[in-house]
Amino acid sequence: MELTLDLTKKWMENFNQKIDANKAYLSDLDTPIGDGDHGNNMARGMAAVLEAFDSKQPADLTSALKLVAMSLISKVGGAAGPLYGTAFLEMAKLSASNQDLAALVTAALEGIKKRGGANEGDKTMVDVWSVVSQALTAGDLTADKVEEAVQATKDMEAKKGRASYLGERSVGHLDPGSVSSGYLFQALLEVGE
Ligand code: ADP
Ligand code: MG
């Protein structure tokens, strides 16, 4: 699948709806293993993304992805803001020469790993981005695969981010950033159909 300007706008609108509808749930997930702000952080960031699309009217894919990145970096705060921001910035950079969704998501994943130092199995959003990158590359991304990747974070012990302070006590809780990343890719699958 190729990412386009039109698809990106629809994708972000749909993601914003999911974040807004689930912001209390995301902050609740962040309470036992974090500081309880993930839903509010993401909701603030996505509201800024939609406002920026409205006021700046990006004319091409690269500008749109850059605008998403900048809005998230400046408004989300916490760990997730710079990490989501880096993901969209890497997609923006590559999108000037390559619009293939698998390549874009893979570049984003590399950016998240480099920026946050997390690997697969560390109970972070990397666990969802990695599964999605592989599935897109293989051409078989489904909603079930995304959901499975999100659920798999429950039994992991956090090695990065705030949840890692809890060590073994982080086991048994879903990772909030993986849940929000799950919404991101469910939103993409819905608009890409
Ligand atoms: P904060 O932890 O600063 O309060 P948020 O609550 O908004 O930020 O986001 C927490 C999420 O960020 C975690 O659930 C996890 O998925 C992700 N995260 C935290 N640290 C890292 C990291 N080093 N690498 C990748 N993802 C991370
Ligand atoms: Mg938090």
Side-chain angles (χ1 to χ4, degrees):
M1 187 164 50
E2 295 246 312
L3 192 58
T4 61
L5 173 62
D6 185 51
L7 195 59
T8 302
K9 285 191 204 157
K10 290 181 178 147
W11 179 17
M12 291 303 117
E13 272 163 27
N14 196 16
F15 182 42
N16 177 56
Q17 282 179 17
K18 291 189 192 299
I19 289 291
D20 198 56
N22 293 286
K23 71 180 168 196
Y25 172 60
L26 288 170
S27 285
D28 284 350
L29 289 175
D30 193 33
T31 301
I33 59 167
D35 55 356
D37 63 355
H38 187 62
N40 292 314
N41 287 348
M42 292 302 296
R44 199 170 52 239
M46 285 313 297
V49 167
L50 291 205
E51 271 169 41
F53 273 13
D54 217 40
S55 64
K56 303 226 161 88
Q57 298 282 330
D60 57 70
L61 176 62
T62 301
S63 324
L65 291 169
K66 215 174 273 176
L67 203 54
V68 174
M70 292 313 167
S71 306
L72 294 178
I73 289 170
S74 64
K75 288 282 155 53
V76 176
L83 291 164
Y84 269 104
T86 298
F88 279 92
L89 205 56
E90 290 302 322
M91 290 197 263
K93 282 197 259 171
L94 182 60
S95 71
S97 61
N98 185 348
Q99 295 82 44
D100 176 59
L101 196 58
L104 294 170
V105 170
T106 302
L109 166 67
E110 293 311 320
I112 294 172
K113 283 176 147 180
K114 201 168 162 195
R115 172 96 199 200
N119 263 307
E120 286 80 2
D122 288 349
K123 197 183 182 93
T124 71
M125 59 173 73
V126 164
D127 292 304
V128 170
W129 284 78
S130 179
V131 167
V132 169
S133 153
Q134 284 170 43
L136 282 172
T137 304
D140 61 2
L141 182 67
T142 60
D144 283 351
K145 257 185 202 167
V146 175
E147 184 55 22
E148 252 172 56
V150 170
Q151 292 299 326
T153 65
K154 191 164 183 173
D155 293 332
M156 293 175 188
E157 181 178 333
K159 301 289 183 194
K160 291 281 171 200
R162 262 177 220 283
S164 67
Y165 308 156
L166 291 173
E168 282 176 10
R169 282 182 296 137
S170 64
V171 176
H173 300 279
L174 288 170
D175 171 56
S178 295
V179 175
S180 64
S181 296
Y183 295 145
L184 177 70
F185 294 113
Q186 303 291 8
L188 175 65
L189 282 168
E190 285 171 16
V191 300
E193 272 161 8

